[in-house]
Amino acid sequence: EADIYQTPRYLVIGTGKKITLECSQTMGHDKMYWYQQDPGMELHLIHYSYGVNSTEKGDLSSESTVSRIRTEHFPLTLESARPSHTSQYLCASSASGTSGEGEQYFGPGTRLTVT
Amino acid sequence: DQQVKQNSPSLSVQEGRISILNCDYTNSMFDYFLWYKKYPAEGPTFLISISSIKDKNEDGRFTVFLNKSAKHLSLHIVPSQPGDSAVYFCAASTPRSNDYKLSFGAGTTVTVRA
């Protein structure tokens, strides 16, 4: 069973506020990811990290930033929230070198609403 | 552009019957394929995967078939149960190129009728 946690689960916040979405995993996975998903749409990768102090932008352009100072922690920050940032944010992790070739395990997600 | 496509947004099936979900991809470099299941307000959970060196992988009620020449894969659920009602996502990656990022389809919503 995957152990990956996201907080908060739900967040309603006003325009212009700074927010940080937390993601932690206890599996020791080296790889972590952030996805954005809107209803009826595919998951879009916005950030990923293959190890500590290594972060990359994903396929979908995002105004958010991430950091990876510790293996288990991969927070996502929005400096100034806007209504266009309203979405579900999903964090995932995976380990390389396993027989599964990198299944990603997902957290429960954060549903963000910017008013 | 979307490299993984699930052209059926929804599927309704009677309990006990077979559910068949389809997925097409355009990137011939993909060599690993996965299916995820998602309930509302939860994160996706991994169901089953298949490597490009195989054409079939089975796990209990779930079987995934891969047709590389057609760039097509399908997920069979037999027999379908009410708890299978969820959104199913197809995903693909290229781990042999050390690229572990997943490309997802838009999902198929499965409803299992009693």
Side-chain angles (χ1 to χ4, degrees), chain B residues 69-81:
Chain B
S69 61
K71 294 191 181 68
H72 177 84
L73 65 155
S74 61
L75 175 69
H76 293 205
I77 306 173
V78 183
S80 299
Q81 300 174 352

Side-chain angles (χ1 to χ4, degrees), chain A residues 66-83:
Chain A
V66 293
S67 62
R68 188 90 183 276
I69 298 172
R70 303 196 315 266
T71 298
E72 63 272 20
H73 194 213
F74 192 39
L76 180 146
T77 298
L78 272 168
E79 291 292 333
S80 179
R82 294 208 301 266

Side-chain angles (χ1 to χ4, degrees), chain B residues 39-102:
Chain B
Y39 293 119
E42 294 184 14
T45 55
F46 170 72
L47 267 181
I48 192 169
S49 62
I50 188 167
S51 166
S52 60
I53 61 173
K54 297 183 178 180
D55 55 15
K56 177 182 175 181
N57 188 27
E58 190 172 354
D59 184 1
R61 296 186 298 115
F62 302 93
T63 303
V64 56
F65 296 92
L66 175 63
N67 183 335
K68 284 178 58 182
S69 61
K71 294 191 181 68
H72 177 84
L73 65 155
S74 61
L75 175 69
H76 293 205
I77 306 173
V78 183
S80 299
Q81 300 174 352
D84 296 332
S85 295
V87 180
Y88 290 78
F89 290 96
C90 171
S93 67
T94 54
R96 293 196 187 129
S97 303
N98 291 319
D99 184 350
Y100 297 90
K101 303 191 298 290
L102 293 179

Side-chain angles (χ1 to χ4, degrees), chain A residues 9 31 42 50 100 103-104 107, chain B residues 32 36 41 43 46 100-101 105:
Chain A
R9 292 291 311 276
K31 297 175 176 55
E42 64 267 39
Y50 284 359
E103 285 92 1
Q104 292 184 17
Chain B
Y32 197 66
Y36 283 84
F46 170 72
Y100 297 90
K101 303 191 298 290

